[in-house]
Amino acid sequence: MESPQEVEPEEGVKTHRVSDEGTHQHPPRRPRQDPARRGNGSVIRVSVPSAHCDVIASHRYDLRPSHGRRSPALPAAGCEPGLPQDFSTRHPLCRSTARARRPSLSRSRAEPIKVQIHVRRGDRDRERDRDRERDRDRERERDRERERARGLDWTERRAAGMIRSRGEDLNGTVAAMKGEEEKSQWKLFIEDISVLHMVVAFLFMGVFCLLLMLYLMFTPLWPVPTLYFAWQFYDWHKPERGGRSSEFVRNWKIWKHLKDYFPVKLVKTAELSPRKNYILGCHPHGIMSIGACSCFSTEAGGFAEAFPGMRSTLAILAGLFRLPVFRDYILFIGLIPVSKESLVYKLSRTGVGNAVVIIIGGAEESLASSSGVNTVVMKHRKGFVRLALENGADLVPVYSFGENELFPQAVLSEGTVGRKLQALFKQVMGFAPCIFMGGRWLLLPYRRPVTTVVGSPISVPYVCNPSEEQVDHYHRLYMESLSKLFHTHKTSCGLSETHQLCII
């Protein structure tokens, strides 16, 4: 066993040493000092081996002399857990400490005596630290095994070239990160706020803006909503005429943090010519279409870098463009209504190099969104194929792997009262009331990677009035291309070979 390291005492500090066997080594006696020259107190530093640290290392004593001639002992140890009642009288450290101060206690009634205990570390302490580190490693390994038992090991396979973050437990899920660098707590917080902004805007911002403007109509601020409603009436058809995209809004840093939260990755499999227009059918819808929003409605998604000369535009529910204030917000992002008038204008009157992204499944597909399920709704949805034929725009299948894993949803069975109410609400309002729950704060989606793969384009001719046979032909080609895209990339994106694509 190594000999404990010697500790140099501080200036003005008296040091008593206790050997490993517990015997006390008395210091040489020194001349008594005048109490008036000691200041407000004296300090005794006691250097002990680490073997004693379980008993006394946590105690710091501040001893003040009594008014009589008796020398004060250390505080009774009965009040401390694990110490004997007569610890202060029979332990050699305590007896020697009291005796060392006895000559001056009767002469200075206000002088505090402080005992500082310094623990010297030896081989036993280092071995104990190594044991604790091994215990922590075993505990971490058990945590990984429990995660694999719950079916979370797919995240490790999907995040190729990525590792887990120490901040993964913020949402109870795995936070995949590039390389071997770890995200700081500030970075994780900014990402949470960025995603929370999107979720709140998606769920509440439209209704809140509408109620706010109606409320202001009955307050002294009524001129504000009046002027805005006049502006909205004047600008009513702007969404159907190409929208009003703002490069400033599309380049906000908040979109970069939103992408890094999951993270979202865009994969290119073929070139898109900037001399043509394209219709990109994105699947699946999921709860909020995070992959499509991140990759095609902001510059942070990397679409412009992957396809030079192309401009991506995401088409969403047309009713959202009737909500005051909120309509201007989504117009600045570059969104347009998913209506025939709006799509025809974008494909025929804004030149070439346009990539219009349509989430084919829509609200009905969001009701089928469930973790581990790959279901797309498009068997009877042929309007986008007819639109492509009428405008000579090529069709491109897009699949976002991991979209259905972000929000767990309670999927109601067909024929139940709840499912019928959901269908009725969707028919009236245009969107489906999904019953879902997020991770942190019940709103944030889980930190799971989303990989959006853009497939190869399907060449579509220009046909002014396409027949049903032509529409069915290109619709069948599109479904075959989508199925091929899914099976080609499913293993590289974290799914197993047994996963199948269900088209309904």
Side-chain angles (χ1 to χ4, degrees), residues 449-467:
V450 178
T451 305
T452 302
V453 183
V454 181
S456 301
I458 303 170
S459 181
V460 177
Y462 171 75
V463 181
C464 184
N465 293 308
S467 63

Side-chain angles (χ1 to χ4, degrees), residues 386-413:
R386 185 180 299 275
L387 180 68
L389 287 167
E390 292 175 348
N391 293 273
D394 290 354
L395 293 172
V396 181
V398 179
Y399 198 90
S400 291
F401 293 91
E403 186 70 48
N404 289 340
E405 314 294 336
L406 304 181
F407 289 98
Q409 180 186 192
V411 180
L412 305 179
S413 303

Side-chain angles (χ1 to χ4, degrees), residues 49-61:
S50 58
H52 298 278
C53 66
D54 293 336
V55 181
I56 59 175
S58 62
H59 299 274
R60 182 185 178 90
Y61 300 101

Side-chain angles (χ1 to χ4, degrees), residues 326-347:
F326 183 66
R327 70 185 292 272
D328 296 285
Y329 171 72
I330 57 180
L331 280 174
F332 285 143
I333 297 176
L335 307 180
I336 62 174
V338 63
S339 61
K340 184 174 182 179
E341 180 184 359
S342 173
L343 297 176
V344 168
Y345 186 95
K346 194 70 177 177
L347 293 172

Side-chain angles (χ1 to χ4, degrees), residues 134-203:
R134 283 194 292 268
D135 292 340
R136 284 192 290 266
D137 292 339
R138 285 193 291 268
E139 183 64 28
R140 284 192 289 266
E141 184 61 30
R142 284 194 293 268
D143 291 341
R144 297 190 190 101
E145 292 297 332
R146 284 194 290 266
E147 289 176 357
R148 295 189 183 99
R150 291 197 300 266
L152 295 181
D153 57 333
W154 59 269
T155 54
E156 299 177 357
R157 298 194 305 272
R158 177 176 296 176
M162 299 182 181
I163 63 170
R164 294 181 178 181
S165 163
R166 290 182 181 175
E168 63 189 14
D169 57 346
L170 293 179
N171 282 350
T173 59
V174 176
M177 300 189 181
K178 294 182 178 180
E180 294 187 357
E181 65 178 10
E182 296 177 351
K183 297 181 182 178
S184 64
Q185 293 297 322
W186 175 249
K187 171 65 173 174
L188 293 171
F189 175 74
I190 293 298
E191 291 176 0
D192 288 345
I193 295 301
S194 302
V195 177
L196 183 64
H197 151 261
M198 178 182 177
V199 173
V200 171
F202 179 87
L203 296 176

Side-chain angles (χ1 to χ4, degrees), residues 1 6 8 11 22 43 51 68 79-81 143 148 192 233 238 257 273 321-322 330 392 429 433 442 456:
M1 174 174 164
E6 294 295 330
E8 291 296 330
E11 183 178 357
V43 176
C79 59
E80 302 291 344
D143 291 341
R148 295 189 183 99
D192 288 345
F233 179 77
K238 186 62 176 179
H257 297 304
S273 174
F321 293 88
R322 305 300 177 231
I330 57 180
M429 301 300 296
L442 302 180
S456 301

Side-chain angles (χ1 to χ4, degrees), residues 186-254:
W186 175 249
K187 171 65 173 174
L188 293 171
F189 175 74
I190 293 298
E191 291 176 0
D192 288 345
I193 295 301
S194 302
V195 177
L196 183 64
H197 151 261
M198 178 182 177
V199 173
V200 171
F202 179 87
L203 296 176
F204 309 114
M205 186 175 177
V207 177
F208 173 78
C209 292
L210 176 61
L211 296 178
L212 178 63
M213 299 302 281
L214 293 177
Y215 168 76
L216 292 178
M217 287 292 294
F218 301 96
T219 66
L221 297 176
W222 63 267
V224 175
T226 301
L227 291 174
Y228 180 83
F229 285 134
W231 154 256
Q232 184 176 356
F233 179 77
Y234 172 78
D235 198 53
W236 187 260
H237 296 289
K238 186 62 176 179
E240 287 78 15
R241 296 173 181 172
R244 188 188 301 111
S245 177
S246 170
E247 292 299 321
F248 170 73
V249 177
R250 288 173 65 95
N251 283 282
W252 278 353
K253 290 295 184 181
I254 194 173

Side-chain angles (χ1 to χ4, degrees), residues 82-99:
L83 297 181
Q85 292 290 338
D86 58 345
F87 173 79
S88 61
T89 57
R90 45 183 191 86
H91 197 281
L93 168 64
C94 304
R95 293 199 305 270
S96 61
T97 302
R99 284 199 303 270

